[in-house]
Amino acid sequence: MRLAAVIPLILAFLIFSGALGLRTPQECESDPQITRNSEKMNCYYASALTAAYLCAPGQMCNAATTLCEEIWVRFGAPIDPDTGSDIRKKAELVANTCYYEVAKITRNPETCQYVTQRDDFSTQLFGDTVTRDTCYDEAERLSQLSPENYYRLNQNNICSIVFVLPLIALLGAVSIQSRRP
């Protein structure tokens, strides 16, 4: 009986103490422990993911994509590209990763269009293209796994995973058992 009263208190403590990692941009600006730009970028990234979880699945989440763009606008764009600053490079990478994660969380492939290369780092690596293609693939796959598609005919639906796969395993085990002398 006492355990039933304690569990809601523990959950409330976790939610209100920020232990779940949910952030807002206002918290990023007002937190005295966040002093460096790289820490603020990570905080904005976490706040974009929080906004993405609050959006409807399958829809474009403007709040989250705006926060992802804010990472580049506030921390990367003002720095001269000729200085060779790592903060500019990190801002681009964090912003692209942010778009990628928001697309996966919202299961919306349209968000992937924002993944872009802003600077040429004089390498032969095409990270933005690979990230964008992977983003489209994963967001599209996740959109197919959405609850409204669970019972449609497709190879990835939940019925195949939960019912058909164990049935095949059970039939295989029975057939092996019946062959033994």
Side-chain angles (χ1 to χ4, degrees), residues 43-120:
C43 187
Y44 271 81
Y45 172 78
S47 65
L49 299 186
T50 301
Y53 280 116
L54 296 175
C55 288
Q59 302 295 319
M60 179 64 83
C61 185
N62 291 330
T65 56
T66 300
L67 287 169
C68 293
E69 186 63 23
E70 190 74 16
I71 293 169
W72 171 252
V73 169
R74 291 197 63 206
F75 304 107
I79 297 174
D80 183 19
D82 295 330
T83 63
S85 172
D86 287 340
I87 293 295
R88 186 173 171 94
K89 294 174 187 173
K90 180 176 173 87
E92 180 179 327
L93 292 172
V94 172
N96 284 342
T97 303
C98 183
Y99 291 127
Y100 174 67
E101 293 298 327
V102 167
K104 288 186 347 183
I105 291 168
T106 60
R107 298 188 303 252
N108 184 354
E110 292 176 26
T111 307
C112 301
Q113 70 187 348
Y114 296 113
V115 174
T116 185
Q117 179 179 351
R118 293 174 171 94
D119 287 333
D120 181 12

Side-chain angles (χ1 to χ4, degrees), residues 167-179:
L167 180 64
I168 291 171
L170 180 67
L171 291 175
V174 170
S175 70
I176 291 173
Q177 189 66 22
S178 66
R179 291 184 185 171

Side-chain angles (χ1 to χ4, degrees), residues 100 104 112 129-139:
Y100 174 67
K104 288 186 347 183
C112 301
T129 307
V130 173
T131 302
R132 190 178 318 107
D133 291 345
T134 304
C135 180
Y136 280 121
D137 291 344
E138 288 198 29

